Amino acid sequence: MADALIVAARRTPIGTAGRRLAGMTAAELAATVLRAAADDVGAVPAEVVLGNCMGPGGDVARVAALTAGLPVAVPAITVDRQCASGLAAIELGARLVSAGSGPVLAGGVESASTAPWRFWPPQGDGPPVRYERAPFAPAGEDVAMGLAADLLAQERGVTRQRQDAYAAESHARAVLAAARGEFADEIVPVDGICADERPRAGLTAERLARFPAAFREGGSVTVGNSCGINDGAAAVGIVPGSAPDATGRPGLRVIGAASVGVAPGRPGIGLVPAVHAALAEAGLGVEDLDVIEFNEAFAGQVLACYDALGIDPSRACTGGGALALGHPWGASGAVLVVRLFTQLVRQGRGRYGLAAIAAGGGQGTALVVEACR
């Protein structure tokens, strides 16, 4: 995939479900970043690839592309790899470009606020049954994400104290990054909103220690050391790096990518084998990485992944992660790549970067990039 060059990366502010972005549909949120990314690329895309988990169907990517004012001739496809959808869309977009397509806009979107209600059809004379999410795995293997994260933390020896301390640190990092303007160039304002809603100043491990276990008696995962339920969108522009107009253009060259499956009962560990595979394709080790962005769905889950990969948590998500910024499911993987772009291209913090995310059903996706400046 060495010919795929990410030259644009934008995201909306991330809102808490039911609050500041609640009036925006998934297509409207995505259209905001598609317009911005298309303008940054400076060319009509050959394809739009967007991840989404809970939207209304109808090919959200196509509706968003039309809402963004892209030419009607531009096709679009919606990808569902649950929480990994946005990063998987970028992986697919990079592979399309490397296979010879023109520029691709790729990313993800989620509007938890406007997600439609879902019902199983009636059985006999019974009423329809509303459900919060579709199954991630066959009956008997479909463990709820929060419970699975709690069990993973227990099995991997990740203590409640570590989880609360990490969650507090994520908020502190995000508040500091916002204060120093780190997000300014990556965020596209929405209706005058230009800042993430969730990060909390002054949130300490001691305050988080007061929260009760959320998913099982005696557990260690709480609402305080878990991500929120959020709205947001992110998109990148990918062009052929060998094209004449790309020569000398700053960006991120995609040098490794992988999506893998793991046991559905422990989905949070799925990013670990994906990272191994993506790094192997790139010919790198974790010690070569300058910037690391993992999706922080649960503190216990992401700490278990750091431990398994031998990564010092202080090296990752240095501007805060999903615990602080929020986790708009279908968009979160794309948000990670936007964060890589800001740090490696806009700020010149190094050469190599890694984004990785786990997904319900036992999957993981990872992307390795090299800065070209």
Side-chain angles (χ1 to χ4, degrees):
M1 291 195 295
D3 199 41
L5 183 69
I6 298 170
V7 296
R10 306 293 290 275
R11 69 175 178 93
T12 66
I14 299 172
T16 298
R19 297 179 64 178
R20 298 178 71 185
L21 298 180
M24 304 283 289
T25 67
E28 289 168 339
L29 285 171
T32 301
V33 292
L34 290 178
R35 277 193 296 267
D39 289 345
D40 291 346
V41 171
V44 175
E47 178 75 85
V48 172
V49 186
L50 280 182
N52 179 256
C53 300
M54 299 291 287
D59 193 355
V60 172
R62 174 63 171 170
V63 180
L66 294 173
T67 304
L70 296 178
V72 296
V74 177
I77 186 170
T78 303
V79 174
D80 179 0
R81 190 167 269 147
Q82 287 301 298
C83 296
S85 298
L87 191 56
I90 294 174
E91 177 190 359
L92 292 173
R95 295 193 187 281
L96 283 171
V97 170
S98 292
S101 83
V104 170
L105 299 181
V109 62
E110 206 68 60
S111 173
S113 296
T114 65
W117 288 7
R118 292 165 166 80
F119 294 85
W120 294 116
Q123 297 291 321
D125 295 329
V129 178
R130 185 185 173 196
Y131 60 96
E132 295 294 328
R133 64 166 177 84
F136 291 150
E141 301 177 57
D142 188 15
V143 182
M145 295 293 284
L147 176 59
D150 203 317
L151 294 172
L152 177 65
Q154 179 186 47
E155 292 162 1
R156 300 295 177 120
V158 182
T159 65
R160 168 71 185 269
Q161 290 73 23
R162 280 187 73 194
Q163 294 174 57
D164 289 344
Y166 183 84
E169 181 66 19
S170 183
H171 280 268
R173 291 175 177 182
V175 169
L176 180 59
R180 64 179 178 238
E182 182 171 322
F183 305 135
D185 290 337
E186 68 187 35
I187 290 181
V188 183
V190 177
D191 287 342
I193 301 166
C194 54
D196 301 309
E197 188 173 4
R198 180 174 165 82
R200 294 290 179 267
L203 188 62
T204 65
E206 290 73 25
R207 289 178 63 188
L208 290 174
R210 302 171 190 168
F211 287 88
F215 301 104
R216 67 186 180 105
E217 187 176 350
S220 60
V221 176
T222 73
V223 295
N225 58 38
S226 303
C227 66
I229 298 175
N230 301 95
D231 306 326
V236 305
I238 312 170
V239 302
S242 58
D245 60 352
T247 303
R249 190 168 183 176
L252 298 176
R253 191 176 303 280
V254 179
I255 58 174
S259 290
V260 304
V262 297
R266 297 294 182 271
I269 205 69
L271 67 81
V272 171
V275 166
H276 284 309
L279 286 174
E281 181 179 8
L284 301 175
V286 294
E287 67 279 358
D288 299 310
L289 299 169
D290 299 295
V291 179
I292 300 170
E293 292 288 335
F294 281 7
N295 187 62
E296 299 172 346
F298 303 90
Q301 169 260 331
V302 75
L303 285 167
C305 291
Y306 291 145
D307 291 350
L309 291 164
I311 293 174
D312 183 340
S314 67
R315 296 180 58 200
C317 301
T318 57
L323 290 168
L325 299 176
H327 182 10
W329 306 304
S332 294
V335 170
L336 300 178
V337 180
V338 174
R339 300 267 51 248
L340 289 181
F341 193 93
T342 287
Q343 294 168 85
L344 289 169
V345 178
R346 295 183 174 112
Q347 299 176 344
R349 292 192 190 176
R351 181 177 181 183
Y352 295 115
L354 166 69
I357 187 168
Q363 297 190 82
T365 298
L367 193 80
V368 183
V369 295
E370 179 182 13
C372 301
R373 298 188 291 271

